[in-house]
Amino acid sequence: MTTDSADKRAAFAGRMTDILNLSALGTAMCLGYRAGLFEALDKLAAPASCAEVARAAGLAERPVREWLAVMVCGGVVELAESPQGEDLFLLPREHADFLTLRAGSDNFGVYTQELPLLTRCALDEVQQGMATGAGVPYDRYPSFQDWMGQVAATKHRQVLVDVFVPSVADGEMARRLARGVRVLDVGCSEGLVSLLMAAAFPRSEFLGIDISEASVKLARAEAARLGLGNARFEVCDAASLAVDADCAGRFGRFDYITAFDSVHDQTRPLEVLRGVRAVLAEGGMFSMVDIKAETPLAGNLNHPIGTFLYTVSLMHCMQVGLVDGGAGLGTMWGRQKALEMLEEAGFDAVEVCEIPTDPFNTHYLCR
């Protein structure tokens, strides 16, 4: 064995050790996040005994002690000692800034749940799909979809109306919304985007479309509960907008169309974009928000969470996009592919915009 080969083996052995430790740490962090342990430690704000941590979280002491041991070995929680020699545990504020609800958009802790949820939902189906390439249907991910809805809801409530909309075309769209325009949200799920905007801009009219009858039913109920007569919801496949005269005629044209992290999951994404183009009014705008990435793999080698996002794609986004012979774009379809498809769909003026407070998504503003 050459020296270079021996060095390479040793380096990879160390890398494997890191992988196993970090995989285990991620699993334990998911459990602690769900159990409220990070919130409890943050509120204690000082070195505390295991019993105090368990009591603050409302949990049993013995399993909490084992969890704290994982956190200490993983460098998340710091270990100290009382004058009596008892172990004390501290979550530094600088760490809590990324692990607790108060962190807002900087809360990375919430995402420790993502891969465990995906594994629980569809690991066997994903493994089978490695042989068939058939993908995994959307309805195999109910608990993951519920969780994603909660995460998206938290994010939209924090930034949609006060941060994102004012950033669109340097405030031009916010001014139009205030005066009154027609808005379409593609892949609306339970309708939160339309509901938030309908409440903020009562002179505008909002339509959300989704293929899920259950989601549309929930969106309609919430609009009624909130008394938002300017928001309505319909079951519709956005891929049919360009070819289904009934849909296009029934809905009309829109001055503003949005699609938040939904295009890359579509089985027929190009048809969706063509549909959007078909119902966009003259002078209208289309905001497509999607994961910030490059299309070539080499362009993502230094992406800060590239490994994580490719895994999410492998376990979910690519899988649902492959169903029924679909395109299977995946999470990391990237800027170059997005621009190519937008041009093919008929958009000749596309601006790639940064999103305030959101370093992980790109805003493609199409006119």
Side-chain angles (χ1 to χ4, degrees):
M1 184 183 298
T2 65
T3 301
D4 285 348
S5 179
D7 289 346
K8 198 169 186 177
R9 281 174 57 88
F12 190 68
R15 177 69 173 152
M16 278 303 304
T17 301
D18 291 340
I19 289 169
L20 292 173
N21 278 322
L22 292 174
S23 297
L25 180 60
T27 301
M29 290 182 75
C30 167
L31 183 60
Y33 188 90
R34 290 166 65 93
L37 278 159
F38 292 124
E39 298 294 333
L41 282 161
D42 189 40
K43 287 182 173 62
L44 287 168
S49 69
C50 177
E52 290 171 323
V53 174
R55 188 161 51 249
L59 301 171
E61 183 176 347
R62 181 63 188 95
V64 169
R65 180 174 296 280
E66 209 74 359
W67 180 84
L68 286 167
V70 180
M71 294 301 107
V72 169
C73 290
V76 177
V77 169
E78 294 179 354
L79 180 66
E81 189 175 287
S82 73
Q84 295 75 33
E86 182 182 15
D87 285 343
L88 300 178
F89 303 92
L90 172 69
L91 178 65
R93 184 171 181 81
E94 295 83 357
H95 295 191
D97 286 346
F98 298 95
L99 293 172
T100 55
L101 292 173
R102 67 171 174 76
S105 59
D106 288 333
N107 181 4
F108 283 72
V110 67
Y111 296 105
T112 61
Q113 302 170 81
E114 193 158 358
L115 295 181
L117 274 170
L118 286 171
T119 301
R120 187 175 76 188
C121 284
L123 181 62
D124 290 342
E125 288 87 347
V126 169
Q127 182 180 346
Q128 293 163 10
M130 297 291 285
T132 65
V136 180
Y138 203 71
D139 61 11
R140 290 297 301 140
Y141 298 90
S143 57
F144 176 72
Q145 302 300 349
D146 288 345
W147 174 81
M148 280 295 293
Q150 294 167 19
V151 171
T154 299
K155 180 177 178 180
H156 285 316
R157 291 184 192 283
Q158 290 172 341
V159 303
L160 178 67
V161 171
D162 295 331
V163 178
F164 178 77
V165 171
S167 77
V168 178
D170 296 322
E172 179 184 348
M173 183 47 64
R175 292 188 288 273
R176 289 194 195 182
L177 286 163
R179 291 195 299 268
V181 293
R182 299 192 73 235
V183 182
L184 172 68
D185 184 39
V186 174
C188 70
S189 187
E190 295 177 11
L192 184 65
V193 166
S194 295
L195 294 170
L196 290 173
M197 294 176 70
F201 302 102
R203 293 185 178 179
S204 290
E205 296 179 4
F206 299 85
L207 171 66
I209 61 173
D210 201 280
I211 60 172
S212 168
E213 292 186 13
S215 293
V216 167
K217 184 178 180 180
L218 289 170
R220 288 171 175 168
E222 185 65 4
R225 187 186 73 81
L226 295 171
L228 293 173
N230 60 333
R232 65 190 181 95
F233 301 91
E234 299 286 346
V235 176
C236 176
D237 183 351
S240 69
L241 286 174
V243 295
D244 188 335
D246 179 61
C247 277
R250 184 157 48 102
F251 297 153
R253 291 182 176 270
F254 298 88
D255 306 290
Y256 187 40
I257 302 178
T258 59
F260 288 92
D261 288 316
S262 61
V263 173
H264 70 254
D265 284 338
Q266 304 293 324
T267 57
R268 295 179 291 162
L270 181 57
E271 286 83 349
V272 169
L273 295 176
R274 284 174 172 158
V276 168
R277 180 66 185 85
V279 297
L280 188 64
E282 185 69 25
M285 298 184 200
F286 169 43
S287 286
M288 182 178 79
V289 175
D290 221 297
I291 293 294
K292 180 182 290 187
E294 302 297 304
T295 301
L297 173 59
N300 295 319
L301 295 182
N302 294 319
H303 193 293
I305 54 171
T307 302
F308 178 83
L309 291 173
Y310 274 118
T311 304
V312 170
S313 185
L314 172 66
M315 295 296 295
H316 176 265
C317 301
M318 180 201 69
Q319 299 292 345
V320 298
L322 283 172
V323 171
D324 295 330
L329 277 181
T331 314
M332 301 291 277
W333 62 314
R335 176 174 56 89
Q336 294 86 345
K337 185 69 174 175
L339 292 173
E340 174 190 318
M341 290 180 66
L342 287 165
E343 182 180 0
E344 191 174 350
F347 293 101
D348 54 8
V350 181
E351 183 181 354
V352 181
C353 310
E354 296 293 321
I355 303 175
T357 75
D358 186 352
F360 296 113
N361 285 287
T362 294
H363 175 202
Y364 299 91
L365 179 60
C366 313
R367 297 175 183 265

